Amino acid sequence: MSQSLFAALRDCLDTAEPTDKIAAITALAAAIADGSLSVAEAAEPSEPPEPIRAPGRPPRPALVAPRDLPQRRLGSPDGRAALLHAVAHIEFNAINLALDAAYRFRGMPEQYYRDWISVALDEARHFQMLAQRLQELDSSYGAFDAHNGLWEMAERTADSCLARMALVPRVLEARGLDVTPGMIAKLRQLKDLASVEVLEVILAEEVRHVAIGSHWFAWCCRRESLDPETTFIGLLGGIARRSIQGPFNLSARRAAGFADSEMSLLSALAKAE
């Protein structure tokens, strides 16, 4: 792979079909591992990224407002497929979010790029697991409508690595830590153990992803001589306030780098909504 890391990341972002995108990410990670693609060069000053735009995505699912997504009961195969489709859509977005975090923010330490590329590779594997499970339920990615909320937050934080680290992994993606245990419990009651197994893998690995966001958010705060806790809460009171919902998975969030004082403030914000 003779192109630069940022050009390779841009190509991955622009690739639309999930199988092609996953293949491109896998090739990128392999090139880094064998040394044919340098990560060290990415940590040096370079030309700025292209303005943020919609990433490559397949023509389906259709993207609609969240209020236009129908509620489905989990008791039927169609209802379970709809739930897993929603998670698959989150994971597909998470691939692009991790790629954009690595592509967009220049002059960061080398480990920053390694971290987010590793997250993109994990999210790609999660998507593959869900796509396989959807096939087993006689469905597929694109069979249901979806919304674009995750990428909209990426657009709103495109000019600040600090804000991106605070509001995408530590708010939107951390929400998965809170709600996935409930999904697992419902699917277990329905004896859908194959879906339970997939979600348990995703939940365990998403803790690391949110922790990576916590680490680089704290790093950005130190670089700007800001207090992480007050900065985080300040951002939540601004553009992300409506994204705060409880209850919270306290043990998972602690493992992902949330302090008890932060959790107390998050709980207070959630109750105030």
Side-chain angles (χ1 to χ4, degrees):
M1 187 176 287
S2 59
Q3 63 187 158
S4 72
L5 176 67
F6 293 127
L9 287 164
R10 183 73 260 174
D11 285 349
C12 290
L13 270 166
D14 288 342
T15 300
E17 286 302 316
T19 53
D20 294 338
K21 189 184 289 283
I22 290 168
I25 295 165
T26 303
L28 185 155
I32 291 172
D34 68 21
S36 59
L37 184 63
S38 173
V39 178
E41 293 175 4
E44 300 297 325
S46 65
E47 63 184 30
E50 297 177 15
I52 196 166
R53 60 178 184 267
R57 56 168 68 106
R60 297 195 63 83
L63 300 180
V64 301
R67 65 178 177 273
D68 293 332
L69 294 173
Q71 297 293 317
R72 292 181 171 88
R73 294 185 179 277
L74 280 182
S76 67
D78 187 66
R80 294 198 298 279
L83 171 68
L84 294 176
H85 186 278
V87 180
H89 184 65
I90 290 169
E91 296 300 317
F92 187 76
N93 271 277
I95 297 171
N96 287 322
L97 289 166
L99 290 170
D100 191 72
Y103 170 77
R104 186 148 309 283
F105 302 110
R106 310 293 167 97
M108 296 290 287
E110 180 178 335
Q111 188 59 43
Y112 172 88
Y113 302 101
R114 293 187 181 276
D115 281 349
W116 286 111
I117 290 165
S118 78
V119 171
L121 203 57
D122 282 352
E123 305 291 19
R125 180 166 43 80
H126 295 171
F127 178 85
Q128 287 178 305
M129 294 166 64
L130 289 158
Q132 176 61 38
R133 183 63 190 134
L134 283 169
Q135 285 187 343
E136 293 166 359
L137 293 170
D138 296 321
S139 188
S140 62
Y141 182 58
F144 301 90
D145 291 346
H147 69 80
N148 198 36
L150 285 171
W151 191 254
E152 288 170 358
M153 183 62 82
E155 293 173 336
R156 295 166 77 181
T157 57
D159 295 329
S160 169
C161 186
L162 184 152
R164 174 71 65 84
M165 295 298 104
L167 300 181
V168 173
R170 301 194 89 226
V171 175
L172 300 186
E173 293 185 27
R175 185 66 185 146
L177 304 182
D178 304 326
V179 302
T180 305
M183 296 180 194
I184 290 171
K186 290 177 181 177
L187 290 168
R188 196 183 300 280
Q189 288 177 346
L190 295 167
K191 311 296 185 187
D192 187 350
L193 299 185
S195 297
V196 166
E197 184 177 351
V198 171
L199 292 185
E200 284 181 335
V201 170
I202 292 172
L203 176 60
E205 296 185 356
E206 290 296 343
V207 172
R208 184 182 80 90
H209 301 169
V210 178
I212 287 171
S214 293
H215 171 80
W216 290 111
F217 170 65
W219 187 93
C220 289
C221 287
R222 289 194 298 273
R223 180 176 63 175
E224 299 184 27
S225 300
L226 297 171
D227 174 70
E229 184 176 301
T230 56
T231 301
F232 181 58
I233 298 302
L235 287 165
L236 292 181
I239 63 176
R241 180 153 193 153
R242 293 183 179 177
S243 300
I244 303 305
Q245 300 176 51
F248 302 104
N249 184 340
L250 298 180
S251 61
R253 281 181 176 258
R254 289 188 185 104
F258 283 83
D260 287 344
S261 52
E262 283 183 307
M263 294 309 308
S264 296
L265 289 167
L266 281 172
S267 296
L269 281 173
K271 290 176 181 176
E273 283 299 304

